[in-house]
Amino acid sequence: MDKHLWKHRIIVIFTDSFLNTTFQKQKLELQAYPQDIKDRKLVMYVVTPKSYQFGLQRTSLLSTDIEFLSTFNSDQSPFKIVLIGLDGNVKLSCKDDLQASDIFNRIDQMPMRKNELKN
């Protein structure tokens, strides 16, 4: 995660399964806005109980450093979405799926994002 510090905002989606219906709904919601995601410097991780992957497509399953990522879901919710800011701090955490506009609005209210929009 250190490689993203001050470069990217991070969305971490925790799911008990890639078949989880809340996860599937969230995935489709976010995939519908690729340019908005890029504009806001967002990268995404999906974390299951035994692995994690970078991005929303099941193409690159990884299994290292999962303990660190799991600290954001210490209660082991079957679904959870966490937004981490450029500074590495949690900005939003929710156990329900979110509208992309809610995530984007939260980001757009952040001081660093406001500065990005001015430039």
Side-chain angles (χ1 to χ4, degrees), residues 3-9 41 86:
K3 68 182 176 181
H4 297 298
L5 196 61
W6 303 113
K7 295 177 186 171
H8 303 108
R9 293 173 182 94
K41 301 178 184 177
L86 292 173

Side-chain angles (χ1 to χ4, degrees), residues 6-43:
W6 303 113
K7 295 177 186 171
H8 303 108
R9 293 173 182 94
I10 304 167
I11 290 179
V12 184
I13 301 173
F14 295 91
T15 182
D16 57 356
S17 165
F18 287 106
L19 301 176
N20 179 304
T21 55
T22 308
F23 167 69
Q24 290 295 323
K25 186 177 174 186
Q26 187 69 74
K27 177 181 165 182
L28 289 172
E29 174 70 12
L30 292 169
Q31 286 177 328
Y33 299 93
Q35 190 59 49
D36 292 287
I37 287 169
K38 181 179 178 184
D39 291 346
R40 288 168 178 83
K41 301 178 184 177
L42 276 166
V43 296

Side-chain angles (χ1 to χ4, degrees), residues 28-78:
L28 289 172
E29 174 70 12
L30 292 169
Q31 286 177 328
Y33 299 93
Q35 190 59 49
D36 292 287
I37 287 169
K38 181 179 178 184
D39 291 346
R40 288 168 178 83
K41 301 178 184 177
L42 276 166
V43 296
M44 290 180 236
Y45 288 87
V46 177
V47 180
T48 66
K50 295 184 180 183
S51 67
Y52 77 94
Q53 69 181 31
F54 180 76
L56 294 174
Q57 301 300 322
R58 285 183 65 183
T59 56
S60 58
L61 287 178
L62 308 168
S63 61
T64 59
D65 204 19
I66 193 162
E67 290 176 23
F68 169 74
L69 288 169
S70 295
T71 61
F72 295 109
N73 191 27
S74 58
D75 61 351
Q76 299 181 352
S77 297

